[in-house]
Amino acid sequence: MISVSKLLYGLDAESDGLRYDAADDSTKSQITDDKQRRPVVVWNTTKRCNLYCEHCYAAADCEGAANELSTAEGKALIDDLADFGAPVLLFSGGEPLVREDLPELVAYAADAGIRPVLSTNGTLLTRENARELKEAGLKYAGVSVDGLPERNDRIRGEDGAFDAAVRGIEACLDVGLKTGLRYTITEHNVDDLAGVVDLLVDVGVDRFCFYHLDYGGRGAEIADVDLSPEATRRAVTDLCDLTREYHEAGEEIETLLVGNYADAGYLVEYADREIGTDRARLIHEYLRRNGGDPTGERVADVDPVGNVHLTQFWQGYSPGNVRDRSFGAIWSDESNPLLADLRNREEHLTGRCADCAYQDICRGGSRLRALSAHGDPFAPDPKCYLTEAERDGAEALRRIRETSTAD
Amino acid sequence: MVEKTDRTAGSGGSRSADGRRFEVFLREAEADPLRHVGTVAAPTPDVAHEEASTLFGRHARDVWVCPAEETHRYSAEPLAADSLAEAER
């Protein structure tokens, strides 16, 4: 996750400590080591969902999976995660609000010292359950909206889903629960991006999280409508420009990008071009601490039946199941050769990633997309959109290094 | 006499939220033991073998796959062991 607003303009945010070790002036406790040591954990609490979105990585459906973790097992999982030191637990799905024990589990996580946050389609949020979740200790609700009303409802498979999600966002805002947008960008909705931001700013939203499509679950079935590298570069440029426009108008919004660490290199290039080399150097340093693509390191997933995954999008492989062995034992077991290689991926990346000048802040991008496109988890991410000169370090990085030497 | 570890039978039931899954075991060199490396989602053993080969090919001499639902698990500390024992009573 890359905070565009933080990097370009220094906009502080509560969660930045997990990403950059540098949430300036924040009163929140910050991580002081160079890198985040424990993963943020996504828990797909159920496979059941009241919508049927075309890009759903969890392939959620109207029926839950057989044998989903019970309330008691969920609490034992939370104990495991707390023992291991997971800083954040993201309750996801399916649609997590269909689980009646959600407030109980949120409260249990908060009591265990894990920051509980929610990923929801928003359509089931009411003022009552938003208040209940806030009182249980929920810190944030990310609501998925994937376009202006017509496109969103087509993508999410339900007429009225957009309006229902906006009502859910308003319910959160009414009770003082921090909320924000989650938006997965494809050819189907890239044209709506700025319109959705403008519309939701008017509603009161100030945090916007944009996901690149990853090729897991139903997302793999629509890889043909993923943006080309060129179109991705344009979309990211537009988002940076939009963030600038809001900043220059005195209205601060938090904008974030998820799922494509080519964005890291591109932000350095963008800042060098549009703001200046000093800012580009600072951004490069922040992103170096951030550590690049987090697969198998700083993000983990537990699916509805307890399988651990290396990211939430990569559900096809699991190194173990929390019903058999604690999360910490699974995550720490580097006798698993794939886990060990991912954590030492610099030695295994191939093709243009092997000698890319931005490898230290990108680390090859999505390993799942590489696997999907090339049948090799260490092949290049097909969604890298940096130019050859940028990858060679002949653009912003050259200027950063030259001015550093001059200093 | 060696003290016997107290193990509990797992709750059984499906181990997959996305179709069939297979437990995967690798052997790196002929003299090595098989090593469990997790599960892959796949509709058939042959597809599971292909998936495992894609992920672990550089580390595997032999690959064995076993349907996850056919595996009976007896663990020292299964998740929520207390509630499992309660359910059995």
Side-chain angles (χ1 to χ4, degrees):
Chain A
M1 183 173 277
I2 296 173
S3 174
V4 175
S5 47
K6 167 73 179 178
L7 293 174
L8 294 184
Y9 297 107
L11 179 65
D12 192 18
E14 206 168 305
S15 56
D16 275 340
L18 288 177
R19 289 192 290 275
Y20 308 118
D21 186 24
D24 299 332
D25 303 323
S26 173
T27 56
K28 306 292 176 187
S29 60
Q30 303 296 308
I31 287 182
T32 53
D33 294 333
D34 273 352
K35 278 180 72 173
Q36 184 186 324
R37 298 293 180 195
R38 293 288 188 249
V40 167
V41 178
V42 180
W43 176 19
N44 308 111
T45 55
T46 179
K47 194 178 181 184
R48 188 153 69 96
C49 188
N50 59 318
L51 300 182
Y52 193 88
C53 304
E54 64 177 19
H55 56 265
C56 181
Y57 71 82
D61 211 333
C62 56
E63 298 289 332
N67 205 24
E68 293 183 347
L69 296 185
S70 66
T71 305
E73 288 175 310
K75 288 181 176 178
L77 168 63
I78 290 167
D79 287 337
D80 271 357
L81 297 177
D83 287 346
F84 190 58
V88 176
L89 179 57
L90 173 60
F91 290 88
S92 186
E95 171 49 56
L97 282 162
V98 305
R99 270 192 80 132
E100 292 181 359
D101 58 359
L102 183 64
E104 185 179 348
L105 293 167
V106 166
Y108 197 84
D111 288 346
I114 305 178
R115 178 184 167 86
V117 295
L118 179 70
S119 174
T120 170
N121 64 43
T123 62
L124 303 178
L125 277 167
T126 62
R127 201 173 296 183
E128 289 70 33
N129 61 22
R131 182 178 294 114
E132 185 182 13
L133 287 165
K134 183 172 191 288
E135 287 172 359
L138 190 72
K139 300 298 185 194
Y140 176 76
V143 176
S144 297
V145 173
D146 291 307
L148 290 166
E150 188 182 333
R151 283 198 177 96
N152 176 75
D153 292 0
R154 192 164 61 236
I155 289 167
R156 304 191 80 79
E158 179 87 9
D159 286 344
F162 181 92
D163 292 338
V166 171
R167 284 195 299 275
I169 288 169
E170 289 171 334
C172 292
L173 295 172
D174 285 349
V175 302
L177 176 60
K178 171 86 175 165
T179 185
L181 169 87
R182 301 164 58 89
Y183 190 113
T184 302
I185 312 169
T186 68
E187 281 180 2
H188 286 167
N189 64 4
V190 66
D191 293 339
D192 283 356
L193 192 152
V196 167
V197 171
D198 292 342
L199 194 151
L200 291 182
V201 163
D202 288 343
V203 171
V205 175
D206 63 1
R207 188 175 196 265
F208 299 88
C209 203
F210 294 94
Y211 285 71
H212 294 275
L213 184 69
D214 218 330
Y215 302 162
R218 286 199 288 276
E221 296 167 15
I222 62 161
D224 59 327
V225 299
D226 194 9
L227 298 182
S228 66
E230 296 74 22
T232 302
R233 188 179 177 102
R234 280 196 299 276
V236 173
T237 306
D238 289 346
L239 179 65
C240 292
D241 290 346
L242 188 70
T243 306
R244 288 179 72 196
E245 286 163 18
Y246 270 92
H247 175 74
E248 286 166 6
E251 192 164 7
E252 300 295 1
I253 57 170
E254 190 184 357
T255 51
L256 303 104
L257 285 161
V258 184
N260 185 355
Y261 267 80
D263 295 340
Y266 185 68
L267 274 169
V268 174
E269 298 287 340
Y270 179 93
D272 180 63
R273 191 171 67 237
E274 302 291 340
I275 303 173
T277 300
D278 286 346
R279 189 77 208 175
R281 182 187 301 106
L282 188 62
I283 290 174
H284 188 266
E285 178 57 22
Y286 278 153
L287 289 167
R288 193 190 58 73
R289 288 187 215 172
N290 179 229
D293 176 79
T295 302
E297 294 180 307
R298 289 171 290 109
V299 65
D301 177 90
V302 179
D303 76 17
V305 298
N307 295 311
V308 173
H309 301 285
L310 303 178
T311 76
Q312 67 269 47
F313 305 111
W314 190 349
Q315 301 265 325
Y317 169 68
S318 168
N321 188 298
V322 297
R323 280 179 159 138
D324 305 326
R325 199 178 181 200
S326 73
F327 175 87
I330 295 168
W331 201 250
S332 303
D333 183 0
E334 293 190 4
S335 74
N336 179 314
L338 180 60
L339 206 52
D341 285 356
L342 282 169
R343 291 175 183 171
N344 195 24
R345 72 188 77 170
E346 293 82 353
E347 292 184 7
H348 303 288
L349 291 170
T350 62
R352 65 190 180 201
C353 293
D355 52 6
C356 176
Y358 283 111
Q359 195 200 76
D360 60 338
I361 63 171
C362 167
R363 302 188 73 231
S366 166
R367 299 298 82 217
L368 175 59
R369 277 195 301 265
L371 178 67
S372 180
H374 303 293
D376 176 356
F378 296 99
D381 181 345
K383 278 203 71 163
C384 177
Y385 56 87
L386 299 181
T387 66
E388 193 174 335
E390 288 166 348
R391 287 197 303 269
D392 286 347
E395 299 287 341
L397 278 182
R398 179 179 57 79
R399 285 183 281 278
I400 287 171
R401 286 166 183 157
E402 280 175 0
T403 52
S404 294
T405 306
D407 291 346
Chain B
M1 191 166 157
V2 177
E3 191 176 339
K4 191 178 169 190
T5 303
D6 186 15
R7 301 184 193 90
T8 307
S11 57
S14 173
R15 283 303 183 98
S16 179
D18 50 4
R20 281 184 96 184
R21 289 193 91 84
F22 288 82
E23 304 285 349
V24 179
F25 302 85
L26 307 181
R27 190 196 319 277
E28 290 194 39
E30 188 178 10
D32 289 344
L34 279 173
R35 175 196 299 164
H36 180 243
V37 292
T39 60
V40 292
T44 66
D46 285 346
V47 176
H49 166 244
E50 283 175 28
E51 294 284 330
S53 298
T54 300
L55 298 175
F56 295 100
R58 71 187 77 196
H59 297 284
R61 177 184 192 275
D62 300 320
V63 176
W64 290 16
V65 298
C66 171
E69 71 269 20
E70 296 295 330
T71 307
H72 298 263
R73 302 170 180 87
Y74 297 84
S75 303
E77 287 187 48
L79 190 68
D82 295 347
S83 68
L84 274 179
E86 187 72 26
E88 281 178 5
R89 278 199 285 273

